[in-house]
């Protein structure tokens, strides 16, 4: 449970051992004599969230959130402090145009201030000091720096802290800094970490007395000495396991690998397969059995900074029993930018389950776009949006009269996705945001608890929109399963479970062919519209100019859609597969 939700963070802290405060001509800067900080560590732990910032774990960030005060309290632990530390936030983790808090030393005195970097990475003190220093002290484990900042400051040089992913940047100063004006972030030993800063302020239900645990762990993997590795491992449930409810799960990280394990997921395999080949190896290996591609039912997902995940006390996720596959796939993302070798890992996820079934089975439903190449993003686009629809006819047919209650959500795209949001529409009006991430990164995906449950009634509409950046691509990026293809998905976690497992859409195929024919005539191109031509080949032949991009945008916004309203058996509910778009206010 978040400790800062009912009070201003660190209200019991006293500012200790700060020897002097003075005004500079540019900003208020707190002067700290580092040698005087010999106090003990703070009693208790008011910071419930914690992540390592650097690959070696020498920098650690802890934080707390106060929603009443609309501020975040940060605590940096620097295990080896030299001449200062740079901490900040930027749109995508860039060093330029970043919002910064800086501790620096000229070799005699040390200073703290609110700063920002310009488009060239040069650092400037901010005329409005919104980072407020609370405490600084030394301890046996290193140097602690504690400060806070409001979510929103109305300062054009500051980052707006909002729901979703936050890209944190950090840097270590190894030499004395005589003037910030001479400091350029491009010359600083720096790095990037992604977190969800604004954790929801919700209480965790108590676990039942008969709870049991199942650990799904990597088998002492020798982590490859490369920057990015996705490792897949197949394991099994206990023999003849009856139906149980998963009520909680948490991460299990091998000690010393806290900065190496980036995120993890546990998937259950499709129940129609009697056997799944056992495998332990890279997920992109040619040796990976094809049947592992049918292990895609998400049971648990964890990312850096995430705490334990609790189901609502009235629901649990079913596992075991005759309708459940006994095979599980663990996927671990190792982030190893220093390309360290000789590291072994047995990290994974610990599932807490109970044989005492709760009132409702929890369900997981896919919203967004169908995995098909008919949905594509042109090249050299910095902001191209695609939207998937879960229509009123589908929800009216598939949902129970009382509707469903969404309590968590996992957003998903591949490499070019930069933002994702799902909106709830009722009677033609947007009534609620289910989930939104304006700084989404495919490298940071987790199941996130919603701040409050969202109820979806029969006849409601769910729109899932994804924004993409393809500025570095020369060809159109089509939808599909490949990492260089794209997706737009929101896996919503809800109760009570229904047979509706997939509620997604794509543009009508016939209207897309009309687009290719029109572009062919307009540009005098040779885009084959014959039946045997594959859609990716047709997109590859388009001459991409502003006009062809605008026409594609208009096509996706106004043309009829192909609706997929699918049951867990992959059969469709009896609703029309073709639907007209009638959301004029969204166009």
């Amino acid at each position: 449970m978040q400790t800062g939700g009912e009070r201003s963070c660190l209200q019991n802290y006293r500012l200790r051992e700060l020897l002097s405060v003075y005004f500079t001509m540019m900003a208020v800067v707190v002067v700290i004599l580092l040698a005087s900080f010999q106090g003990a560590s703070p009693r208790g732990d008011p910071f419930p969230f914690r992540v390592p910032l650097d690959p070696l774990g020498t920098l650690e960030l802890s934080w707390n959130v106060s929603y009443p005060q609309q501020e975040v309290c940060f605590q940096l632990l620097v295990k080896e402090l030299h001449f200062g530390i740079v901490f900040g936030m930027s749109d995508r983790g860039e060093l330029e145009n970043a919002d910064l808090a800086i501790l620096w030393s000229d070799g005699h005195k040390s200073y703290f201030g609110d700063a920002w970097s310009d488009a060239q990475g040069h650092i400037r003190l901010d005329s409005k000091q919104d980072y407020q220093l609370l405490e600084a002290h030394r301890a046996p484990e290193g140097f602690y720096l504690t400060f806070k900042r409001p979510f929103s400051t109305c300062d054009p040089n500051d980052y707006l802290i909002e729901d979703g992913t936050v890209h944190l940047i950090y840097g270590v100063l190894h030499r004395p800094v005589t003037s910030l004006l001479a400091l350029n972030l491009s010359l600083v030993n720096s790095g990037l970490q992604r977190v969800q800063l604004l954790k929801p302020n919700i209480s965790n239900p108590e676990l039942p007395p008969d709870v049991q645990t199942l650990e799904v762990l990597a088998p002492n993997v020798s982590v490859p000495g490369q920057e990015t590795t996705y490792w897949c491992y197949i394991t099994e449930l206990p023999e003849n396991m009856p139906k149980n409810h998963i009520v909680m799960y948490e991460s299990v990280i091998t000690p010393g690998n806290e900065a190496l394990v980036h995120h993890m997921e546990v998937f259950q395999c499709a129940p129609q397969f009697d056997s799944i080949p056992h495998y332990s190896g890279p997920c992109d290996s040619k040796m990976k059995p094809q049947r592992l591609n049918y292990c895609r039912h998400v049971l648990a997902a964890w990312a850096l900074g995430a705490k334990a995940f609790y189901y609502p006390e009235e629901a649990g996720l079913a596992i075991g029993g005759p309708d459940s596959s006994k095979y599980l796939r663990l996927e671990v993302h190792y982030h190893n930018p220093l390309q360290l070798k000789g590291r072994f890992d047995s990290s994974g996820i610990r599932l807490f389950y109970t044989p005492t079934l709760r009132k409702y089975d929890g369900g997981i439903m896919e919203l967004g776009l169908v995995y098909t190449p008919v949905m594509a993003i042109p090249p050299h686009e910095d902001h191209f949006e695609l939207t998937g629809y879960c229509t009123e006819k589908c929800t009216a047919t598939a949902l129970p009269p009382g509707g469903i209650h969404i309590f968590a959500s996992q957003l998903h795209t591949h490499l070019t996705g930069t933002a994702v949001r799902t909106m709830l529409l009722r009677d033609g009006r947007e009534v609620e945001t289910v989930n939104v991430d304006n700084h989404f990164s495919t490298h940071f995906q987790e199941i996130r608890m919603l701040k409050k449950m969202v109820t979806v009634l029969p006849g409601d509409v769910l729109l899932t929109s994804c924004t993409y950046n393809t500025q570095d691509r020369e060809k159109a990026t089509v939808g599909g399963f490949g990492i260089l293809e794209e997706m737009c998905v929101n896996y919503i976690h809800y109760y009570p479970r229904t047979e509706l497992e997939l509620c997604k859409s794509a543009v009508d195929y016939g209207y897309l062919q009309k687009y290719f024919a029109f572009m062919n005539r307009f540009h005098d191109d040779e885009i084959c519209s014959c039946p045997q031509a594959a859609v990716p080949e047709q997109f590859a032949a388009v001459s991409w100019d502003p006009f062809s991009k605008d026409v594609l945008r208009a096509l996706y916004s106004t043309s009829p859609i192909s609706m997929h309203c699918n049951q867990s058996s992959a059969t469709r509910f009896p609703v029309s597969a073709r639907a007209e778009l009638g959301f004029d206010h969204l166009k």
Side-chain angles (χ1 to χ4, degrees):
M1 178 177 177
Q2 193 161 303
T3 60
E6 302 300 327
R7 57 183 172 81
S8 176
C9 52
L10 293 174
Q11 67 177 11
N12 295 323
Y13 270 27
R14 292 179 297 109
L15 298 186
R16 299 185 301 231
E17 303 159 326
L18 296 181
L19 298 188
S20 57
V21 178
Y22 75 107
F23 287 87
T24 68
M25 294 179 63
M26 301 181 64
V28 179
V29 180
V30 179
V31 182
I32 312 167
L33 297 187
L34 297 182
S36 70
F37 297 136
Q38 303 296 335
S41 297
R43 290 172 295 188
D45 185 7
F47 299 98
F49 310 113
R50 184 172 289 106
V51 294
L53 288 181
D54 68 314
L56 294 177
T58 60
L59 298 174
E60 183 178 275
L61 172 70
S62 304
W63 76 96
N64 199 353
V65 182
S66 172
Y67 284 102
Q69 300 297 327
Q70 293 284 289
E71 63 187 16
V72 181
C73 285
F74 300 95
Q75 185 177 79
L76 283 174
L77 169 59
V78 187
K79 296 183 179 178
E80 294 183 12
L81 183 65
H82 298 282
F83 290 93
I85 188 77
V86 178
F87 171 82
M89 297 166 271
S90 64
D91 183 42
R92 309 296 306 175
E94 311 92 338
L95 298 178
E96 300 79 25
N97 300 313
D99 176 20
L100 307 170
I102 304 182
L103 173 72
W104 78 98
S105 170
D106 60 9
H108 303 285
K109 292 183 178 180
S110 295
Y111 311 87
F112 176 88
D114 183 341
W116 53 277
S117 62
D118 62 19
Q120 287 73 45
H122 296 290
I123 295 177
R124 302 286 187 268
L125 275 176
D126 203 327
S127 59
K128 188 170 180 285
Q129 292 285 295
D130 294 303
Y131 283 103
Q132 179 182 345
L133 182 64
L134 298 175
E135 186 183 55
H137 72 275
R138 287 194 184 277
E141 61 271 25
F143 180 82
Y144 284 94
L145 185 69
T146 306
F147 51 95
K148 67 178 182 179
R149 211 213 76 173
F151 297 171
S152 175
T153 66
C154 299
D155 184 340
N157 294 319
D158 284 354
Y159 179 91
L160 173 64
I161 301 175
E162 56 187 347
D163 291 331
T165 303
V166 177
H167 292 70
L168 304 177
I169 60 173
Y170 63 87
V172 179
L173 304 179
H174 290 284
R175 297 180 180 178
V177 178
T178 56
S179 170
L180 282 187
L181 295 177
L183 187 61
N184 190 305
L185 280 183
S186 63
L187 304 177
V188 174
N189 182 19
S190 60
L192 161 69
Q193 187 60 279
R194 300 175 181 91
V195 300
Q196 180 198 16
L197 281 181
L198 300 188
K199 302 288 188 180
N201 182 24
I202 54 178
S203 300
N204 296 324
E206 291 186 8
L207 294 177
D210 59 354
V211 71
Q212 303 175 56
T213 61
L214 172 66
E215 293 187 345
V216 184
L217 306 178
N220 198 31
V221 171
S222 176
V223 180
Q226 59 193 38
E227 181 171 352
T228 300
T229 299
Y230 284 83
W231 194 272
C232 284
Y233 171 63
I234 293 292
T235 186
E236 298 182 25
L237 294 176
E239 193 70 26
N240 299 318
M241 182 181 185
K243 180 180 177 180
N244 287 261
H245 270 165
I246 297 174
V247 294
M248 191 266 269
Y249 64 82
E250 63 184 4
S251 63
V252 179
I253 308 297
T254 299
N257 289 351
E258 291 83 0
L260 193 64
V261 179
H262 191 270
H263 69 261
M264 302 180 287
E265 293 186 86
V266 175
F267 302 88
Q268 191 167 31
C269 300
Q272 64 261 35
F273 295 105
D274 294 331
S275 65
I276 298 290
H278 283 272
Y279 175 76
S280 180
C283 299
D284 59 355
S285 171
K286 295 181 180 179
M287 302 300 293
K288 185 188 77 172
Q290 287 297 312
R291 196 164 282 190
L292 267 66
N293 294 331
Y294 294 92
C295 303
R296 296 191 291 115
H297 179 67
V298 179
L299 294 183
W302 171 90
L304 273 172
K307 304 287 282 184
F309 182 95
Y310 288 80
Y311 276 80
E313 58 186 358
E314 61 270 28
L317 187 64
I319 187 173
D323 298 326
S324 173
S325 172
K326 68 177 182 179
Y327 295 99
L328 306 179
R329 174 168 68 93
L330 172 68
E331 182 176 301
V332 183
H333 173 200
Y334 296 109
H335 181 58
N336 186 12
L338 299 181
Q339 301 183 13
L340 303 173
K341 297 181 180 179
R343 303 288 286 271
F344 291 86
D345 185 70
S346 298
S347 299
I349 289 178
R350 181 182 294 119
L351 304 173
F352 291 72
Y353 64 93
T354 172
T356 305
L357 302 183
R358 293 181 167 180
K359 183 177 181 179
Y360 299 111
D361 280 351
I364 301 173
M365 187 189 306
E366 287 189 37
L367 306 177
L369 292 173
V370 181
Y371 307 130
T372 169
V374 303
M375 304 301 295
I377 307 103
H380 307 302
E381 283 289 301
D382 63 352
H383 188 279
F384 195 91
E385 186 174 283
L386 297 176
T387 298
Y389 301 84
C390 180
T391 64
E392 66 271 22
K393 290 182 179 179
C394 184
T395 61
T397 302
L399 299 188
I404 60 173
H405 309 288
I406 305 173
F407 60 88
S409 163
Q410 181 185 12
L411 307 175
H412 178 77
T413 77
H414 284 172
L415 298 176
T416 67
T418 59
V420 187
R421 65 186 174 97
T422 295
M423 302 295 299
L424 172 66
L425 280 70
R426 183 170 295 151
D427 299 326
R429 294 184 177 182
E430 294 181 0
V431 295
E432 200 156 4
T433 298
V434 178
N435 195 3
V436 61
D437 192 339
N438 291 322
H439 302 275
F440 176 85
S441 170
T442 190
H443 302 296
F444 185 69
Q445 302 186 43
E446 59 182 348
I447 302 174
R448 291 175 179 168
M449 297 294 297
L450 304 186
K451 291 181 179 178
K452 69 183 187 71
M453 287 196 192
V454 175
T455 298
V456 183
L457 299 175
D460 286 350
V461 176
L462 291 162
L463 303 186
T464 300
S465 299
C466 295
T467 304
Y468 304 92
N469 185 319
T470 58
Q471 285 184 303
D472 61 347
R473 297 201 173 183
E474 300 298 324
K475 297 181 180 180
T477 300
V478 300
F481 290 96
I483 191 63
L484 296 179
E485 297 171 326
E486 263 308 339
M487 292 185 174
C488 179
V489 185
N490 184 356
Y491 299 97
I492 56 171
H493 294 245
Y494 71 96
Y495 71 87
R497 182 184 178 275
T498 72
E499 286 300 311
L500 180 59
E501 189 166 281
L502 185 150
C503 193
K504 304 165 80 172
S505 71
V507 71
D508 182 83
Y509 179 80
Y511 275 74
L512 179 63
Q513 291 304 315
K514 292 180 181 180
Y515 167 80
F516 289 135
F518 175 73
M519 287 295 103
N520 210 355
R521 294 194 303 271
F522 185 82
H523 284 128
D524 196 24
D525 287 333
E526 296 183 0
I527 307 173
C528 181
S529 57
C530 44
Q532 65 269 25
V535 171
E537 296 174 6
Q538 293 176 296
F539 273 118
V542 173
S543 297
W544 292 110
D545 57 20
F547 180 72
S548 58
K549 294 177 181 181
D550 288 343
V551 174
L552 186 63
R553 277 193 178 93
L555 174 84
Y556 287 148
S557 298
T558 61
S559 296
I561 59 173
S562 171
M563 186 63 215
H564 291 238
C565 184
N566 292 7
Q567 302 180 47
S568 55
S569 61
T571 58
R572 294 191 182 184
F573 279 92
V575 298
S576 174
R578 189 172 183 271
E580 303 288 336
L581 297 185
F583 313 110
D584 294 333
H585 67 291
L586 296 177
K587 296 176 186 176

